[in-house]
Structure formats: structure tokens, C-alpha cells
Amino acid sequence: MTTESLPVRTDASAGSSSKKTVARGGLRMLGQRAGRQHHAGPLAYVLLAITAIVSIFPLYWTMVAASTDNTRVSQTPPPFLPGPNLFSNLARAWDEAAMGKAMINSLIVAGVIALSTVMFATLAGFAFAKLRFKGRNVLLMLVIGTMMVPPQLGVVPLFMMMSELGWSQELPAVIFPTLVSAVGVFFMRQYLSEALPDELVEAARVDGAHSLRIFWSIVLPVARPAMAVLFMITFVHAWNDFFWPFVVLDMTNPTVPVALTQLSAGYVRDQSLIMAGALLGTLPLLAMFVVFGRQIVSGIMAGAVKG
């Protein structure tokens, strides 16, 4: 065999081969890092434990105060272990504050407000995010501008309006003024601007789908995680709202925050009884989070992953 027949490896081919080898090695290392599980260190567990304790302590203290008597709660230092009077105090608070009717009213008010806010905010958010029409930016700025107006400024005209409609002391007076919120519209608009591709909407347009069909078949599945979060936030806010229901309702038809004011109406406030009522008013929210919390968190994570 002559030397002319031997393959000659040039510098260019050698350099290309070395680059490919380095690239393959880098990809292999990236794949190993991507498949590696990350374990939290001791500091992370300590911080999580402290955060959990700080978050749970107010609820725990409410239960402790609700399970003792007024004298024991007022002592120094206060008790840090539950007492024997929890169920008796809960029964007293239930009877004295008419909590049964108040919880039904709060469930109706919070449920209707949350559902209407989610639906109207999603519709408006889709319009502001993906539809093109004249005055869109001006209308959006007006909606955002309403967030800067204190709600107390509109109490007098709003109360006069409810009285003219004959809704004073009735639940519709609490529901209708808050059927949609500017915060919900802005939240859904921001979410749909990022999560809903313009190409998907345009493809539906090409197929002949009108706006309501696009909203029902495309927007709602995409917006489901944000709708779940908005529903829970709105429900909790409506359940805990005190100022406007206290103005427009009376003690014969109260919501839970309004009913709790009856427990502190005496000359000497029974702190254990007030805490028992507060615990009763908190239990439905805790139950809702236990039932739907995993779905909401999984929905948030699903909406955060984009492929």
C-alpha cells in the first residue's frame, strides 16, 4: 500500500470532529443536570417551618381563645393550650349571632359575586387582550382608573340607588354593586395576553368561528387556571367584606361579618365568645381551600408551563 492511498486527515476535519465531540459532551452534561433531582437543604426546611408556624399561629390562637373563658383569655401570660369550653362557646356564638342564616346569606352573596366576577372579568379580559376595536386602550385605562377611587366615596349615592330600587336590607343590594371588579378584569387581561397565542385566535377566525365561539371553545380552557385563582380570591374577599354589608343590611338579614358584631355589642366584651364566632366564620373558607386547594395549585402550575 502506497502512502498516496492512505487517508489524510486535514486540520479542518480534525477541528470539526473535536467541536462535535465537545458539543456532544456538553449536551450529555446538560441532560444529566436536567434529569437530576434537586434536594432542599436544611436551611430551606427551617425557613419553611418558620413560615408555616407564623401562618398557622393566628388560627391556632383563635381556637385557643375560643376554647377558654373570658377571664382566662385576659390573663397575663395568656393561655397557649386549648381549654375545655370550645364546643360550648361555639354553640353560644351560633345561637347569639344567628350564624346559620348568616352563613347561608354569605354563601349566596360570595358565590354569586365570585361566579359573576369570573365570567365577566374573563369576557372583558379576552376583549382587551385579543380583540381589536376603537377606544380599547382608553377603556382599559378607565377600568384601571376605577381601582384608584376609594369605595367609601360612593357609599352615599350607592345607598340612595339601592333604596330607590327597593333593595335596602336585602341581599341584592350587596350582590349587584360588585358583580365585576376592575382588579379581576385587569388580572384576566394580563393572563390571557401571555397564555393565549394570537395565532390560535386567528386560526379560529379563519375556520369561521365568531367571538363567542372562540371564547367558549378556546379562551375558557386556556383561562381555567386563572379563573380558579380569581374565583377563590373573590369568594374570600366577598365572604370577609364588612363595610358595605354593614351599611346596607340589618341584623335580621346579616352576612357573617355583620352577624359577628352582635357578639361584641354588650357592655363587657366576651373575647372568647367573639373568637368562637370568628372561628365559625372561618371554617367554611378552610373547608373550601381543603377541597379545592389542590386543583387550584395544580391549575396554576399547569398554566405556568408553556411548551
Side-chain angles (χ1 to χ4, degrees), residues 109 162 167 169-178 244 248-249 253:
V109 170
M162 295 299 106
W167 289 347
Q169 315 303 332
E170 300 293 336
L171 295 184
V174 181
I175 294 174
F176 277 87
T178 51
W244 175 242
V248 78
L249 298 179
N253 195 30

Side-chain angles (χ1 to χ4, degrees), residues 4 35 50 59 87 117 119 143 157 163 177 191 230 255 262 290 300:
E4 289 79 3
I50 294 175
L59 181 62
F87 294 103
T117 298
M119 185 55 62
V143 171
S163 299
Y191 181 85
L230 181 60
T255 57
Q262 298 183 21
V290 170
I300 295 174

Side-chain angles (χ1 to χ4, degrees), residues 211-233:
S211 297
L212 288 180
R213 178 65 178 179
I214 294 174
F215 176 79
W216 183 262
S217 301
I218 297 177
V219 177
L220 285 183
V222 173
R224 191 174 299 155
M227 292 171 66
V229 175
L230 181 60
F231 178 87
M232 188 169 185
I233 293 175

